[in-house]
Amino acid sequence: MRLPPAIVGHAEEVLREILRFTGPADVTLSRYFREHPRLGSRERGVVAEGIYGLLRNKSVYTSFSESGSGPAMRRLTLLGLADAVGVDSLGGLSEEETEWLQRVMLIDRNHLPPALKSNLPGWLWEKFLAKFGEPEALALADALNTPASLDLRVNTLKGNRDDVIAALAQAPIIAEPTPYSALGLRIKKKPTIQNLPLFKDGTIEVQDEGSQILAQLLGAKRGEMVADFCAGAGGKTLALGASMRNTGRLYAFDISEKRLAKLKPRLARSGLSNVHPVVIAHEKDAKIKRLAGKLDRVLVDAPCSGLGTLRRNPDVKWRQTQVGVAELNVKQASILDSAARLVKAGGRLVYATCSVLDEENEAIVQAFIAAHPDFSLLPVSQVLAEQKIDLEMGDYLKLMPHVHQTDGFFAAVLERNK
């Protein structure tokens, strides 16, 4: 069935705004759809898919758009939409546009230069090339440019994985156990799960398998005092609360009241009562100082470039810069330093990012250890074995989308000397 010609106009209008890269693409799309309530769910889906297809393949499609005729923004929009639904589904095209699109879509991309084929900004491609070599850099780029599956975490306070798989099958939604997280489920297609009873009653939460593993590395136990230092909307907070069996005290710190507000309905669904959300002004807030040396475990999921999440947020690679990463490095070091003060002797500190860049990962941890002789690095291989997670790792956790089918994650486990 052909889409109405107006779809191209809507997609072009919102793409024009998104390509200014002044804010996250998903926020811009949500606002546009609110302002255009007459767009049906199918039309919204096509527009969003076309935009994301274009963002994933922006280098290649910008190059392709230099052929053809008419306004460049329309040509880019048509390439994104053709990527999403195929040329034949697009209504309102001229004969010339249809022929051009069909011709362009047949180009064998294997013959393109690697830097173009990677669909990454030049500075990022050069980093990947230097670190991994061309074949693996291309494999990583390809995985980052492929949409992610939908991962769920089963809330152990409300259910178990086998029962959830059976209940989802009734929907009917086919979910498979994730290979590494004992609580994870993976759904290849992307059904709407918000209306499912399992979601409404807090039995399942949306959470990437890599993120689930980060929470498990902390090893939070019953009755402990624990903090999620950069809690955000609280995906890891909820996982930690469940692993503590809803006992002890779990602080969810964040500088954004808006982000913590998103945690509240999730908390209500989850059945957790041991979580204490706390808005802080900055990482050195007096509310944090009062807890110095008192906590058993602290998770620092530091603000980072987000370059490990490109499967979900392809616009990040075009919005992030080397200067931006350098500014984040200063913040990351400061946050880790402040969070460390909370950890008591013998306690555990986990530093994590959703980045694949060394300067946000190993470099921050090594500088921290050099400045804090009272902390030692626990090999992640040892911690994974403790948690019965079957993953081959060395000193650090390094999850890669082209190897582990998760987002790109890094983590280091540190222990304060007794």
Side-chain angles (χ1 to χ4, degrees):
M1 194 173 90
R2 289 212 162 190
L3 291 159
I7 290 295
V8 177
H10 283 293
E12 186 177 343
E13 191 179 335
V14 73
L15 180 64
R16 195 179 300 280
E17 188 175 345
I18 284 171
L19 290 183
R20 293 190 187 112
F21 298 119
T22 53
D26 59 345
V27 174
T28 304
L29 271 170
S30 295
R31 191 183 70 246
Y32 187 85
F33 293 151
R34 278 197 308 275
E35 290 167 359
H36 295 80
R38 294 181 69 179
L39 274 173
S41 61
R42 181 175 178 238
E43 284 90 349
R44 288 198 303 271
V46 170
V47 169
E49 219 180 312
I51 298 287
Y52 277 90
L54 186 278
L55 290 168
R56 288 192 175 94
N57 299 287
K58 183 170 158 290
S59 298
V60 167
Y61 286 169
T62 301
S63 173
F64 287 176
S65 73
E66 286 163 8
S67 65
S69 58
M73 192 61 70
R74 179 174 171 87
R75 293 202 299 275
L76 274 178
T77 305
L78 292 177
L79 286 164
L81 290 170
D83 181 283
V85 294
V87 179
D88 294 341
S89 298
L90 299 179
L93 305 189
S94 69
E95 198 174 315
E96 190 183 357
E97 283 175 329
T98 304
E99 284 174 7
W100 170 73
L101 269 180
Q102 286 170 336
R103 195 168 63 248
V104 163
M105 285 296 168
L106 290 173
I107 293 171
D108 185 350
R109 299 182 199 185
N110 290 317
H111 299 308
L112 297 173
L116 182 62
K117 194 162 54 174
S118 76
N119 278 296
L120 296 173
W123 68 272
L124 187 57
W125 168 248
E126 291 302 325
K127 277 185 185 293
F128 284 3
L129 199 56
K131 184 176 179 182
F132 301 110
E134 190 179 291
E136 191 174 0
L138 278 173
L140 172 57
D142 190 46
L144 285 168
N145 290 328
T146 302
S149 55
L150 176 67
D151 286 2
L152 306 174
R153 178 184 58 80
V154 177
N155 177 0
T156 50
L157 301 180
K158 298 272 185 107
N160 68 63
R161 190 156 70 168
D162 290 342
D163 290 347
V164 169
I165 289 172
L168 286 171
Q170 299 296 310
I173 295 169
I174 305 303
E176 295 173 354
T178 48
Y180 310 117
S181 168
L183 305 175
L185 290 171
R186 181 158 293 154
I187 299 168
K188 290 288 190 277
K189 290 180 181 172
K190 294 227 179 137
T192 304
I193 63 158
Q194 278 77 357
N195 298 323
L196 293 177
L198 285 170
F199 182 82
K200 288 179 174 176
D201 70 10
T203 305
I204 54 172
E205 269 289 340
V206 175
Q207 188 178 21
D208 183 77
E209 184 185 23
S211 177
Q212 295 179 40
I213 292 167
L214 289 190
Q216 287 173 272
L217 289 181
L218 199 65
K221 295 188 173 76
R222 286 172 179 268
E224 290 186 328
M225 282 183 67
V226 178
D228 186 351
F229 201 76
C230 308
K236 295 178 195 70
T237 308
L238 298 174
L240 294 172
S243 66
M244 294 164 72
R245 303 304 299 167
N246 203 17
T247 64
R249 196 167 182 88
L250 173 55
Y251 293 97
F253 293 118
D254 205 273
I255 58 168
S256 168
E257 196 168 349
K258 198 190 236 177
R259 281 198 295 264
L260 281 179
K262 290 181 181 172
L263 170 58
K264 288 191 176 155
R266 300 174 81 185
L267 260 183
R269 288 197 304 268
S270 72
L272 291 171
S273 56
N274 65 337
V275 178
H276 302 271
V278 182
V279 180
I280 53 174
H282 44 72
E283 67 268 23
K284 295 181 171 69
D285 194 305
K287 293 172 192 167
I288 293 164
K289 286 182 181 170
R290 287 199 288 270
L291 293 168
K294 293 181 179 172
L295 269 59
D296 297 283
R297 297 168 199 268
V298 177
L299 172 63
V300 178
D301 182 11
C304 69
S305 64
L307 291 166
T309 69
L310 298 184
R311 303 185 310 160
R312 301 167 203 286
N313 310 304
D315 56 310
V316 166
K317 62 186 170 183
W318 308 115
R319 290 193 291 118
Q320 194 53 265
T321 64
Q322 282 181 287
V323 172
V325 172
E327 288 167 358
L328 282 164
N329 296 156
V330 176
K331 193 79 176 157
Q332 288 155 350
S334 178
I335 287 171
L336 182 56
D337 184 65
S338 292
R341 291 174 192 156
L342 300 178
V343 183
K344 69 184 191 186
R348 181 175 289 188
L349 173 65
V350 172
Y351 173 80
T353 73
C354 50
S355 172
V356 292
L357 299 182
D358 291 346
E359 56 263 50
E360 298 187 84
N361 298 336
E362 293 97 316
I364 299 292
V365 173
Q366 285 158 9
F368 172 82
I369 291 169
H372 297 78
D374 54 332
F375 277 87
S376 308
L377 187 71
L378 269 182
V380 158
S381 53
Q382 180 187 320
V383 181
L384 290 168
E386 278 170 20
Q387 295 293 327
K388 299 182 173 59
I389 299 171
D390 186 17
L391 256 174
E392 288 287 321
M393 291 286 160
D395 283 346
Y396 302 111
L397 181 81
K398 295 180 183 180
L399 294 172
M400 304 295 268
H402 66 302
V403 179
H404 305 104
Q405 283 71 58
T406 64
D407 285 347
F409 280 108
F410 169 88
V413 182
L414 300 151
E415 194 171 72
R416 188 163 219 157
N417 303 335
K418 289 176 182 170

